Structure formats: structure tokens, C-alpha cells
Amino acid sequence: FLDLKLMVDFCKAAGFQLLQLLPINDTTVFNTWRDSYPYSAVSCFALHPQYIRLEALGSMPPQIKEELMKGKETLNALPQIDYVEMMKLKGRILEKMYKVHKAEFLKSREFLNFFRDNQEWLVPYALFKMFMTINGSANFDLWGCRSQITLEEMEDLASPDTMHFDYIGVVYYTQFHLWKQLSEASAYAAKNNVVFKGDLPIGVNRHCVDTWVNPELFHLHMQAGAPPDYFSEYGQNWYFPTYNWEAMALDDYGWWRGRLSQMAKFFHAYRIDHILG
């Protein structure tokens, strides 16, 4: 995200007033190259770890710094981006840096404020990532007794006293730093009079945090897409569940209002992709 500051400098020098980005939410479902597709989010609130600048995490022990430099050298020498290996490298470094800074990080006022403001989506997301790792799949229909979850269960499972808390803590650490870095880039754009325009995909992945925690808001047995047109003779199946608009209306579309409010923390404008479908 911090490289966006360089793009802002370019926009300012070239006389451009607006910079539009592709979707930036986490899309990690398969842990393969398929996850590089930005329009199938595993969370409509969490940011994608691929965009984190590891050097900005804080003081880095020499051995971790050496591993990072060697990894970057190998990846940058390739003729094209190796998405899978890049994600593996960033994941390893994030886990190690979390362990280094864990004690002071979890007690820091800045993190505690971030957690207070974002825990509604952050805790379910962290638990989802943990169960994904344990079960080797994002398909929560295969998670047995954890295929569904209640608020009370989430509170118990996410307690810092649990033996598995580091699975959760590293997710908190990652999302906190992504939030800091994107916030810094967004503030820099505003300071230089460049509009950040975000991209909000109309659909969500069938197996994502949002459908796991709020299944009543979706028609999980249905799939969204587009009808036949000039570009696709037989139409398109995007495999996204359709929305249960009647259920969403019961709380005045709280899920949508939360999603748009989250984007408004970083963007000055945004588009809704494929709203016509």
C-alpha cells in the first residue's frame, strides 16, 4: 500500500486528479494462484496481506531481515510475479515478526483502539482464517460443528487465554499494519489533492467470512452471474451467492452500510462493480 504514495507523486506531476484501484480485500481461499483474482473476497472488510510492506513493520532482527532480502531477490529475478511464493514469503515473515513484537503489540494503545473500532469484523475473520488453516479449506460446510458459529462461541474461541490464540493474534497484527499503511497512503493522497477511488465487487465468495457468520443474508443455494451478451454467448456464472434483500432490510441494510463505511475510511469515492449483473 505504501507504494501508492509514489503513484500519488506521479499523478500530481502528470496533472491527474484521481487514482482508481482494483479491489483490495483478502481473497485467500485456495492458497493457489486462483486467489490473485481480486473480485472474490473471503472477507468484505479485511485487507489483502499481499499489499503489506514488511520493512515498515518495525525493528526487524537480522536473521528475519536476511530471509526477507533473499526471498525478495529470488522473487524479483523471476520473469513474472509468482503470486503463491510471494504470499508464502510474506506469511512467514509476518508470523516471525508477530512473535518478535507480540508482547508490546497486543498491549499498545494504537492496536487496542484499532481493535475497538474493528472487532465486529476482525474477530470473525481471524477465526475464519484459523479454521481455514486447521481444516485445510475455506469450505466451512466441511468444518463439522464449526460449519456454523454464534457470537458467544466467537467470544470464547477468540479469548487471549486460549492455546490457539497466536493463530488469531497474527491476523490481528497483519490487519493492523495493513490498516496503518493504507491509511497513510490515503492521507498522503488527500494532502496532495489526489482522489482515491476504490472498487467494491457486487458479489462475495460462496465460502467467506460473511456467509459463514451471516448466512441468513444470502441465498447460498443460488449463484449470480450475467446473461448472454456480445462478449459471452452463453452468459457467465460467477458462483457468487445472491443476496437475501428481504433479510438485509430488517436491520436497514446494516451489512451494506458497514461495508461502505469501511471503504470510506480509505477512499474518497468508489465504484460498485457489476451491479447490473
Side-chain angles (χ1 to χ4, degrees):
F1 286 134
L2 290 176
D3 285 344
L4 287 170
K5 295 168 74 173
L6 299 176
M7 281 300 299
V8 169
D9 291 340
F10 170 80
C11 289
K12 186 175 181 181
F16 297 135
Q17 296 177 315
L18 184 146
L19 176 61
Q20 180 172 318
L21 307 180
L22 288 171
I24 56 173
N25 293 113
D26 188 6
T27 56
T28 307
V29 175
F30 304 102
N31 288 312
T32 69
W33 61 268
R34 293 172 65 184
D35 295 336
S36 63
Y37 176 65
Y39 288 95
S40 185
V42 76
S43 167
C44 291
F45 297 86
L47 300 172
H48 203 306
Q50 69 174 320
Y51 298 118
I52 200 163
R53 180 181 290 179
L54 297 169
E55 294 87 345
L57 295 177
S59 59
M60 186 176 291
Q63 64 273 24
I64 300 179
K65 184 179 294 185
E66 182 180 2
E67 179 182 355
L68 174 58
M69 292 302 104
K70 287 182 177 179
K72 288 178 63 175
E73 183 179 351
T74 299
L75 290 171
N76 288 335
L78 298 175
Q80 59 186 22
I81 294 174
D82 189 329
Y83 174 86
V84 175
E85 290 303 316
M86 176 273 295
M87 287 295 293
K88 287 180 180 178
L89 175 64
K90 289 201 170 186
R92 289 196 305 271
I93 300 299
L94 282 164
E95 288 178 3
K96 292 178 180 180
M97 288 294 288
Y98 165 71
K99 290 178 181 177
V100 170
H101 296 288
K102 173 183 173 180
E104 66 268 26
F105 163 71
L106 292 173
K107 296 178 181 178
S108 69
R109 176 52 50 191
E110 194 174 13
F111 165 70
L112 292 174
N113 288 340
F114 167 77
F115 183 81
R116 178 198 63 208
D117 296 339
N118 295 277
Q119 60 181 316
E120 186 175 353
W121 65 264
L122 182 61
V123 172
Y125 169 71
L127 289 170
F128 188 90
K129 298 286 282 188
M130 180 182 75
F131 286 126
M132 251 187 77
T133 301
I134 293 172
N135 291 282
S137 171
N139 185 349
F140 52 79
D141 293 328
L142 306 177
W143 291 357
C145 64
R146 295 304 178 198
S147 61
Q148 297 177 326
I149 196 164
T150 65
L151 180 61
E152 292 75 17
E153 289 172 331
M154 284 192 284
E155 290 176 349
D156 290 340
L157 287 165
S159 171
D161 298 329
T162 59
M163 294 179 63
H164 58 251
F165 181 75
D166 282 344
Y167 282 104
I168 297 166
V170 72
V171 175
Y172 291 171
Y173 179 77
T174 301
Q175 289 300 312
F176 169 74
H177 283 284
L178 284 165
W179 166 76
K180 279 188 67 175
Q181 293 181 17
L182 182 55
S183 295
E184 181 179 333
S186 178
Y188 186 80
K191 180 181 178 181
N192 286 276
N193 298 312
V194 173
V195 173
F196 263 11
K197 184 177 181 181
D199 194 342
L200 187 150
I202 188 61
V204 300
N205 191 283
R206 167 61 176 80
H207 297 109
C208 70
V209 183
D210 304 271
T211 56
W212 181 52
V213 175
N214 301 298
E216 72 282 357
L217 300 181
F218 305 87
H219 294 302
L220 297 179
H221 63 290
M222 301 179 72
Q223 297 176 347
D229 57 22
Y230 180 80
F231 300 100
S232 179
E233 180 180 358
Y234 301 106
Q236 302 175 53
N237 185 347
W238 299 332
Y239 302 101
F240 302 147
T242 60
Y243 293 115
N244 185 343
W245 293 107
E246 291 77 13
M248 288 183 162
L250 295 177
D251 69 346
D252 195 23
Y253 306 96
W255 182 82
W256 274 104
R257 288 186 287 107
R259 191 178 178 190
L260 294 170
S261 296
Q262 182 74 0
M263 289 195 72
K265 294 178 181 179
F266 311 112
F267 298 111
H268 314 113
Y270 38 73
R271 67 186 284 265
I272 300 178
D273 181 75
H274 281 305
I275 191 169
L276 296 179

